[in-house]
């Protein structure tokens, strides 16, 4: 999978169990040094993170060739990886907005709700990542919060969103 991400989003991919490797490409200028970006994201040396800059390899077309060759090599390594079982309570399901349309509330959202309920019933975690998507359903979610602390965090996030949305 090829993903373009910035900052903490890239760090999340780099730490994700289903990602074999991450390739970070920088321009090479002082403000975008890849080593500094890696360090700021708190990525450990154990993560299969590869970095280079366009300036290091000479120009954009060479950077594309270098990156393609590196990805081809990493794909060969990734092909040797084998899945390992994991308990359901170790799973976290992130539910971002997928670009809602007229049918998502009738099809995908209820299906993902059921899947989330099943996962949580077995000790896993489901995370709704877009506060505006839950606006109006706060009472339903608060009633299902696993603990008062989680309910407090949700209330704080909703208050934060309301201040910014209604300024």
């Amino acid at each position: 999978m090829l993903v373009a991400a910035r900052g903490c989003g890239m760090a999340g991919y780099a730490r994700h169990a289903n990602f074999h490797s991450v390739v970070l490409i920088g321009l090479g200028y002082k403000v975008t040094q890849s080593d500094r970006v890696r360090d700021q994201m708190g990525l450990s040396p154990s993560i299969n993170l590869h970095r280079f800059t366009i300036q290091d390899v000479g120009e954009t077309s060479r950077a594309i060739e270098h990156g393609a060759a590196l990805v081809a090599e990493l794909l060969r390594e990734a092909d040797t990886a084998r899945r390992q079982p994991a308990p359901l309570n170790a799973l976290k399901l992130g539910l971002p907005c997928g670009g809602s349309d007229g049918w998502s509330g009738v099809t995908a959202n209820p299906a993902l709700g059921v899947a989330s309920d099943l996962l949580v019933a077995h000790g896993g975690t489901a995370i709704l990542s877009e506060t505006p998507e839950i606006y109006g359903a706060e009472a339903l979610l608060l009633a299902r919060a696993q603990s008062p602390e989680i309910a407090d965090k949700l209330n704080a996030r909703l208050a934060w969103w309301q201040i910014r949305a209604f300024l």
Side-chain angles (χ1 to χ4, degrees):
M1 175 184 293
L2 178 61
V3 177
R6 299 182 307 163
C8 60
M10 207 287 296
Y13 287 118
R15 291 185 187 101
H16 197 285
N18 289 332
F19 278 71
H20 176 271
S21 303
V22 173
V23 177
L24 177 60
I25 305 168
L27 294 173
Y29 301 109
K30 283 186 175 185
V31 295
T32 57
Q33 292 176 351
S34 61
D35 286 343
R36 191 176 78 195
V37 171
R38 184 215 49 220
D39 293 343
Q40 287 174 343
M41 291 185 294
L43 296 174
S44 73
S46 64
I47 291 176
N48 200 359
L49 178 66
H50 302 267
R51 304 174 313 279
F52 68 91
T53 69
I54 294 171
Q55 286 184 340
D56 287 342
V57 295
E59 63 176 346
T60 301
S61 61
R62 287 189 183 132
I64 292 168
E65 290 171 9
H66 180 77
L70 178 57
V71 168
E73 176 185 330
L74 294 171
L75 283 172
R76 284 190 293 278
E77 289 177 22
D79 282 344
T80 66
R82 296 295 169 249
R83 292 182 183 263
Q84 297 177 5
L88 287 174
N89 65 0
L91 296 181
K92 292 182 177 141
L93 176 63
L95 300 162
C97 175
S100 299
D101 61 25
W103 285 101
S104 61
V106 178
T107 57
N109 294 353
L112 290 170
V114 171
S116 297
D117 287 345
L118 290 169
L119 180 61
V120 170
H122 289 89
T125 302
I127 302 166
L128 298 170
S129 64
E130 292 191 31
T131 308
E133 295 289 320
I134 63 172
Y135 194 67
E138 304 93 333
L140 296 169
L141 295 171
L142 290 167
R144 298 172 68 145
Q146 188 177 28
S147 69
E149 293 80 21
I150 291 174
D152 289 345
K153 286 181 180 181
L154 177 56
N155 273 323
R157 179 54 52 190
L158 290 165
W160 175 90
W161 181 78
Q162 287 177 335
I163 289 168
R164 279 143 190 85
F166 298 116
L167 284 179

